[in-house]
Amino acid sequence: MKGIKIRGVGRGVPGKIVTNQDLERIVETSDAWITSRTGIQSRHFCAGEETFSTITAAAARRALESAGVEPEEIGACIVATLSGDTLVPSAACMLQRALGLPMDIPCFDLGAACTGFLFGLHTMECLLNASPRKYGLVVGAENLSRLINWEDRGTCILFGDGAGAAVVECREGWPSISAVMGCCGNDGLLRVPGPEAGGRSLISMEGTKVFKFAVEAVPWCVDQALKQSGKTVEDVDFFVFHQANARIIDLAVRKYRIPPEKYYKNIQDYGNTSAASIPLVLSELREQEKVGPGSRVLLVGFGGGLTWGGCLIEFA
């Protein structure tokens, strides 16, 4: 089996910034309360002409440019999301049209909430092994501001909008990304109802229970991904955790004694962007030259479903 590596990354972020101070004016909360419990200081919301589709296309175009890959070279397109503009057509199909991707390739959405981008990477690795084209486009994108329940002060502070994308390349002789994944069906801890609910589909979450799940899932993902790849913590150049809560990341950092130069947090600027979280980090890391050709990065995702996963992937 051929492996994949990241060839290019990009992001699309809405221009409207909503700070904790802004939320103080509409919700019974405070900047100190939000920051101390989550690490979030601001988040981005789509507004005006900015939509899920515009930020997704922006992220994908920048990833293609970063990779030096033309749209016609793409062999598959996956968009990980739970908040696309429409259920049908899929966000991936609309992205195919916007970018001018080939019409003889699979383009589809993937629903695994905050683990979606990681699930997408593993799925893309499998797809490209059966494709005559060697490049794939994986996007994580969300417009969660449309799904916020402003009467729930525990969750309305958490979420933001954004999109991140990666172009991956598949080659003989490259290592597998050693993906490990899991799920356990639970519609009580983190839920967004579908159209059958009859009203607006709004996010509901049992925050304390989800936090407990996350602090158990993260080390499992790290341990299993390292075991699968035959690597150690010292072999990893950078750790990228889903940006759900700064305290969850801090616990993992302490457990594995990860030095500050090997991990990154941007939750303070974006909040929880679900499937967009990990690729947003990857895009900023590459832009800041914290990672580059040959960098080995361990990704960890966890979220609604419940879902979790980890993988070890390199930059080409």
Side-chain angles (χ1 to χ4, degrees), residues 110-133:
L110 190 154
C114 307
T115 324
F117 181 77
L118 197 148
F119 274 41
L121 286 176
H122 177 60
T123 304
M124 184 61 71
E125 184 173 49
C126 298
L127 288 172
L128 291 181
N129 266 271
S131 172
R133 298 181 176 97

Side-chain angles (χ1 to χ4, degrees), residues 9-14 44 55 59 62 117 138-142 160-166 240-243 264-267 269-288 299 315:
V9 288
R11 65 185 182 276
V13 180
H44 294 251
I55 62 174
R62 288 167 184 152
F117 181 77
V138 184
V139 183
E142 301 290 6
D161 303 339
V240 176
F241 300 99
H242 166 48
Q243 307 284 303
Y264 187 79
K265 287 189 286 190
N266 64 7
I267 188 172
D269 299 321
Y270 296 107
N272 183 343
T273 56
S274 188
S277 166
I278 289 174
L280 280 172
V281 172
L282 290 173
S283 175
E284 291 195 340
L285 290 177
R286 188 68 188 94
E287 185 178 90
Q288 297 171 21
L299 313 180
F315 275 75

Side-chain angles (χ1 to χ4, degrees), residues 46 50-58 61 84-86 91 94-95 98 143:
C46 289
E50 290 179 318
T51 66
F52 175 93
S53 294
T54 62
I55 62 174
T56 301
R61 288 192 179 98
D85 286 335
T86 55
M94 297 310 293
L95 187 59
N143 186 2

Side-chain angles (χ1 to χ4, degrees), residues 13-65:
V13 180
K16 181 180 179 180
I17 299 175
V18 180
T19 66
N20 291 347
Q21 288 79 10
D22 293 328
L23 295 186
E24 288 176 344
R25 291 191 278 272
I26 59 176
V27 180
E28 187 182 348
T29 190
S30 70
D31 173 56
W33 191 89
I34 297 170
T35 302
S36 64
R37 285 163 175 78
T38 68
I40 301 168
Q41 297 173 6
S42 64
R43 67 287 291 149
H44 294 251
F45 284 179
C46 289
E49 295 182 355
E50 290 179 318
T51 66
F52 175 93
S53 294
T54 62
I55 62 174
T56 301
R61 288 192 179 98
R62 288 167 184 152
L64 287 166
E65 182 180 354

Side-chain angles (χ1 to χ4, degrees), residues 4 36 61 86 99 107 113 130 133-135 146 165 190 201 208 210 217 220 231 255 266 269 274 309:
I4 61 170
S36 64
R61 288 192 179 98
T86 55
L99 300 180
C107 297
R133 298 181 176 97
K134 64 179 181 178
Y135 297 109
R146 297 183 305 176
L190 208 171
S201 295
T208 301
V210 171
W220 185 91
K231 304 297 182 182
K255 176 179 175 62
N266 64 7
D269 299 321
S274 188

Side-chain angles (χ1 to χ4, degrees), residues 191-197 200-204:
R191 177 179 174 84
V192 179
E196 81 285 349
R200 289 188 62 202
S201 295
L202 302 178
I203 300 170
S204 63

